[in-house]
Amino acid sequence: MKRTFDLVMSVLLLALLWPVILLAAWAAALDTGASGFFLQERIGREGRPFRVVKLRTMRPLSGTTVTTLGDPRITPFGRLLRRSKLDELPQLFNVVVGQMSFVGPRPDVPGFADALGDNERVILSVRPGITGPATLKYRNEEALLAGMAAPERYNREVIFPDKVRLNRDYVLHWSFIMDLVYLWRTVFSTPYREKTKS
């Protein structure tokens, strides 16, 4: 049921939104001086690497994969794309081909999956998602990290373990209804509320 929903909805959305995606990619190319589409290796289901597709929001400069709100690599148009989450639209292609789902744990860059404990690797048993509980809780992650003296360390020691906890809970207690709730909260930017355990 989950895969059928992903496939049908991603095909429909691509049919509707492809002009928006191409126009935004063209504007991103002008803004960054590079290709409007950005491909980055991520770790997917069963630990298999794949290339996630996004709209480019940063100048092609070297640096950390951790970004903060005031990161000088992010262009003005890139900030708009990030704030509106439009930079995520090309990931519909990843959903169509079965590399991603609409809802699930966000796919991490190589290296983070190696830090998962034995009881946490269940996260890798499902397709990674465009959105999910951890994504919603940390939708303002860049602003949060901008206020930290050591953002990379805070991300590694505080945010990443909490995301793992949320993602593990999502996988172990998955329901299609909750997927629809997460999508609703993503589209309409409703406040994140963590489930309370009885």
Side-chain angles (χ1 to χ4, degrees):
M1 181 169 58
K2 183 178 175 70
R3 177 59 187 154
T4 301
F5 175 84
D6 285 342
L7 185 58
V8 172
M9 288 303 298
S10 57
V11 169
L12 288 175
L13 287 173
L14 279 174
L16 289 172
L17 298 174
W18 68 264
V20 175
I21 295 173
L22 290 181
L23 183 61
W26 173 75
L30 293 179
D31 194 42
T32 62
S35 169
F37 291 105
F38 173 68
L39 279 71
Q40 187 180 49
E41 186 174 277
R42 300 289 180 96
I43 301 302
R45 190 179 188 183
E46 306 301 339
R48 291 189 293 267
F50 73 100
R51 291 191 176 275
V52 70
V53 189
K54 300 179 74 173
L55 292 172
R56 189 179 294 276
T57 61
M58 301 171 69
R59 299 176 184 90
L61 303 174
S62 60
T64 175
T65 58
V66 177
T67 55
T68 62
L69 193 61
D71 196 312
R73 296 172 296 174
I74 303 174
T75 65
F77 184 62
R79 287 192 178 87
L80 175 64
L81 290 175
R82 284 170 173 257
R83 190 163 52 246
S84 62
K85 303 300 182 185
L86 289 175
D87 63 317
E88 310 282 356
L89 282 180
Q91 288 170 62
L92 291 170
F93 290 104
N94 293 114
V95 176
V96 168
V97 300
Q99 296 168 328
M100 293 183 68
S101 174
F102 275 103
V103 184
R106 281 298 292 171
D108 280 313
V109 296
F112 279 93
D114 299 334
L116 295 174
D118 290 342
N119 67 336
E120 297 167 340
R121 296 190 70 82
V122 67
I123 293 170
L124 299 177
S125 68
V126 300
R127 292 181 179 89
I130 295 176
T131 189
T135 304
L136 288 168
K137 181 174 181 178
Y138 290 101
R139 76 171 85 212
N140 297 316
E141 181 177 329
E142 290 182 355
L144 175 63
L145 290 173
M148 299 297 161
E152 286 190 66
R153 180 178 177 181
Y154 188 82
N155 178 66
R156 184 177 63 254
E157 297 180 358
V158 178
I159 294 180
F160 177 70
D162 192 41
K163 285 182 176 179
V164 169
R165 177 185 63 82
L166 290 166
N167 288 329
R168 181 175 182 273
D169 184 71
Y170 166 81
V171 174
L172 294 178
H173 303 96
W174 175 83
S175 76
F176 185 68
I177 296 299
M178 282 309 301
D179 272 8
L180 296 179
V181 170
Y182 291 133
L183 284 171
W184 175 274
R185 291 176 178 173
T186 299
V187 172
F188 295 100
S189 299
T190 59
Y192 173 78
R193 296 182 181 87
E194 191 164 339
K195 290 189 301 181
T196 56
K197 295 181 174 60
S198 56

